[in-house]
Amino acid sequence: MNQRTETARNVPAKLLEYPQWIVWRSELRDGKRTKIPVDPSTQQRASVDEPTQWVDYQTARRSLRVDGFDGLGFVFTDKDPFVGVDLDDCRNPVTGELSPLAHDITTTLDSYAETSPSGLGVHVLAKADLPGTRRRRGRLEVYDNARFFTITGRHLDHTPQKLCERDDALAQVHEQYLTGDDTTGQSDEQATMSTPRDSDDVSSVDGSGDAVAAVVARARNAVNGGKFDALWSGDTTGYSSQSEADMALACLLAYWTNQNPALVDACFRESELMREKWDTVHYADGSTYGERTIERALAFID
């Protein structure tokens, strides 16, 4: 199904009420694809600070269809109640599986979400006041003014089809994922852990009971300790499958063990998510389900 059909059918009605629409075209600049905002009326480059260069939804959609642009965009301003959450490189375009970070944020916000034009990213849109001043960390961006978001209408099935009021939920996401000490150079999953790991080096620690207990204690005391504790106790609420929950817990353990695969394995075996499948060979190279899950978790954190 093409983007135009999906957009026409799924874009939330509230968004259509605002004449803040543009179109965009993809251009190659310095070897990287860039989305250039365009005024549908003049077909010249548009500015997110100039309302005269924006149009209503139907006009923008007509330009998309007739003039051959690459997509639609919506400009956020201080005149509307909306906020956009942009998550890059967080979705498998074949299976639809989300990264633990994207799954947690879309579940917490529980408002309309859609996939990006590439299918690799996710946009969440809600009605909320954006707290604080920080707007970006790693692959996560949050904006409510002077930015445009591409709109595809490719709705994520597990999210509402409307823009919901989510002040408290957005405040929670902002505190957990965007505030705290600077984490330049860290991965996204590391950046979500605003409680730093203990300085003790556990990269060479074996899977002894004391080592497992130390990891669990640190993870439970983190800002997102509630999420860890739920997974550790076997609660898969909010996950589409236990395998998805397994991956989420493995990513958390990879972080708190300083990417020690043996310790990740030892910890996971003590959790309530542990099952026979963990030790079952699932791949042609002889890897077990557990080994491959740990491998993917370490790659995500790296």
Side-chain angles (χ1 to χ4, degrees):
M1 189 175 293
N2 63 44
Q3 178 177 323
R4 298 184 185 110
T5 301
E6 292 181 19
T7 299
R9 183 181 64 191
N10 294 327
V11 65
K14 273 294 179 184
L15 217 57
L16 305 184
E17 297 176 6
Y18 290 79
Q20 296 167 201
W21 292 86
I22 57 171
V23 289
W24 59 269
R25 62 172 177 263
S26 178
E27 291 186 0
L28 190 63
R29 294 190 172 183
D30 298 324
K32 182 179 180 181
R33 282 287 167 187
T34 301
K35 297 178 180 65
I36 305 300
V38 175
D39 177 351
S41 299
T42 64
Q43 298 189 19
Q44 300 298 311
R45 180 161 183 162
S47 169
V48 295
D49 297 317
E50 183 47 68
T52 61
Q53 298 173 351
W54 316 332
V55 298
D56 61 88
Y57 171 75
Q58 292 299 337
T59 301
R61 184 165 175 258
R62 189 180 308 115
S63 178
L64 173 65
R65 182 178 64 251
V66 174
D67 301 320
F69 288 102
D70 294 310
L72 296 173
F74 182 85
V75 181
F76 293 102
T77 77
D78 57 8
K79 304 294 185 183
D80 65 68
F82 309 127
V83 63
V85 179
D86 184 5
L87 291 150
D88 288 334
D89 297 326
C90 66
R91 178 179 179 271
N92 184 316
V94 177
T95 66
E97 180 182 9
L98 299 181
S99 71
L101 173 67
H103 182 278
D104 191 43
I105 289 177
T106 57
T107 300
T108 299
L109 290 176
D110 194 28
S111 187
Y112 173 82
E114 62 176 34
T115 62
S116 65
S118 69
L120 300 173
V122 168
H123 292 167
V124 186
L125 293 94
K127 292 188 286 186
D129 290 327
L130 183 52
T133 58
R134 189 158 191 171
R135 299 292 177 258
R136 181 172 184 171
R137 181 175 246 172
R139 296 171 185 168
L140 170 64
E141 297 181 66
V142 184
Y143 296 104
D144 65 351
N145 188 29
R147 294 289 292 240
F148 87 92
F149 267 30
T150 60
I151 301 293
T152 65
R154 298 171 187 165
H155 175 244
L156 285 185
D157 290 338
H158 70 282
T159 67
Q161 290 186 299
K162 63 180 182 178
L163 303 182
C164 303
E165 295 186 7
R166 292 291 183 259
D167 281 325
D168 291 344
L170 182 63
Q172 178 182 335
V173 167
H174 194 277
E175 179 181 2
Q176 182 171 342
Y177 294 104
L178 288 172
T179 59
D181 295 333
D182 188 14
T183 55
T184 302
Q186 292 185 357
S187 71
D188 293 333
E189 193 68 19
Q190 289 172 328
T192 70
M193 317 292 186
S194 56
T195 299
R197 287 174 285 189
D198 289 356
S199 58
D200 297 338
D201 181 11
V202 297
S203 59
S204 60
V205 174
D206 61 21
S208 66
D210 288 345
V212 169
V215 170
V216 172
R218 287 196 293 270
R220 280 177 167 162
N221 288 328
V223 170
N224 59 348
K227 173 186 174 182
F228 174 85
D229 206 34
L231 289 167
W232 183 259
S233 301
D235 184 357
T236 61
T237 302
Y239 295 91
S240 61
S241 66
Q242 182 166 341
S243 295
E244 189 175 286
D246 291 344
M247 182 61 183
L249 179 59
C251 282
L252 292 171
L253 290 172
Y255 176 78
W256 290 112
T257 62
N258 285 338
Q259 299 169 273
N260 180 339
L263 191 49
V264 171
D265 182 65
C267 289
F268 195 97
R269 291 176 184 278
E270 295 300 316
S271 77
E272 293 299 320
L273 289 182
M274 179 61 188
R275 49 184 168 149
E276 289 184 8
K277 182 179 180 180
W278 190 254
D279 291 319
T280 302
V281 174
H282 268 239
Y283 302 93
D285 64 359
S287 298
T288 65
Y289 167 77
E291 289 171 338
R292 189 60 63 85
T293 299
I294 293 173
E295 180 182 320
R296 290 174 60 207
L298 294 175
F300 186 82
I301 296 298
D302 189 20

